[in-house]
Amino acid sequence: MSSAPVVLDIEDISKSFDEPSARVRALSSIRLRVQRGEFICLLGPSGSGKSTLLRIIAGLVTPDSGRVRFDGAPLTEPQRDIGFVFQSTNLMPWRTVLENVLLPLEIAGPVGDVERAQAVAMLNLVGLHGFHHAYPRQLSGGMSQRVVLARTLVHAPRLLLLDEPFGALDAITRERLNLELLRIHARDAQTSVMVTHSIPEAVLLADRVLVLSERPGRIIADVPIPLPRPRTLAQTGTEHFARLTLALREQIELQADPAAQESA
Ligand SMILES: Nc1ncnc2c1ncn2[C@@H]1O[C@H](COP(=O)(O)OP(=O)(O)OP(=O)(O)O)[C@@H](O)[C@H]1O
Ligand SMILES: [Mg+2]
């Protein structure tokens, strides 16, 4: 992993928002390098700028200072090579599941049999056989998130950004989708940056977990997760897994309470 090329290079990013009532500092001096194929999880309290950081990486928000390089080139606008799964699902209700997945391909050019086959393959990959012609209102929350995942993966983005993709789902569905994400990552090794609020989820998925501080978000811990791949649910019951989640939790506690750090 250490010799893989750097896909994403973030240097000294800061971002504030000027609101009529006050200036909100969302991010401060963020530095981050992500290697090809790496799976990064971002943890941090609500309001610590996680979504803002993903939007900056996606080219949707411009930072006040610092810069983002994607494959060596300055990133200044949204790229087709960067896929984004947003914090809430945004399927088009008047389009079927298949038509929703075809959307990014339609935007890219004419859609023929090849593109349709791609979309169908992606829906099957996320376990939605038999629901291609359903409408979003006929789907459960977990199924909707699967459609969003298929739609994001259909044009094979080289960088995948996921903002709490499974946050609104029940624990069992969420676990199942995490396993699917692991399976997809094992198959295609997309470089991925995912925001989550769950420490065990971060340990199960990530090669590296970054912890953001309270607003303005700074990276206060960068923790490697040396669990072997392919990852399985069985690993979550091991002592190694327990030690990693505990260590991460302690890091977060230490940073949240400097007094604890002094006595540690
Ligand atoms: N477009 C915007 N205009 C004004 N303020 C914004 C905007 N986007 C984000 N903020 C502010 O920046 C801060 C960081 O927001 P952000 O959504 O990045 O946090 P987050 O870490 O993703 O939180 P959560 O875990 O709740 O999703 C918040 O105080 C938020 O109010
Ligand atoms: Mg957010």
Side-chain angles (χ1 to χ4, degrees), residues 17 19 24 26 45-52 55 87 164 197 215:
F17 293 102
E19 289 295 282
V24 175
S46 186
S48 60
K50 304 179 297 296
S51 296
T52 303
R55 286 200 196 101
Q87 207 165 347
E164 297 187 48
H197 280 291
R215 190 174 56 226

Side-chain angles (χ1 to χ4, degrees), residues 41-51 164 194-199 202 209-215 217-218 220 252:
C41 277
L42 278 179
L43 282 173
S46 186
S48 60
K50 304 179 297 296
S51 296
E164 297 187 48
M194 171 167 155
V195 172
T196 174
H197 280 291
S198 160
I199 294 174
V209 179
L210 303 178
V211 182
L212 289 185
S213 66
E214 297 272 353
R215 190 174 56 226
R218 291 172 296 112
I220 53 176
I252 293 168

Side-chain angles (χ1 to χ4, degrees), residues 87-159:
Q87 207 165 347
S88 56
T89 69
N90 52 349
L91 295 173
M92 294 186 168
W94 59 88
R95 286 183 157 232
T96 65
V97 163
L98 181 61
E99 287 164 352
N100 266 285
V101 174
L102 279 168
L103 187 67
L105 299 176
E106 285 171 17
I107 292 169
V111 164
D113 289 345
V114 175
E115 289 75 18
R116 292 184 80 79
Q118 260 175 287
V120 165
M122 206 46 78
L123 280 170
N124 293 343
L125 182 69
V126 300
L128 283 174
H129 320 260
F131 283 92
H132 301 181
H133 303 295
Y135 285 89
R137 67 182 156 77
Q138 299 170 297
L139 306 177
S140 69
M143 290 159 83
S144 301
Q145 278 304 37
R146 284 191 165 93
V147 179
V148 173
L149 198 57
R151 187 186 58 187
T152 308
L153 292 169
V154 75
H155 54 68
R158 279 183 298 134
L159 176 62

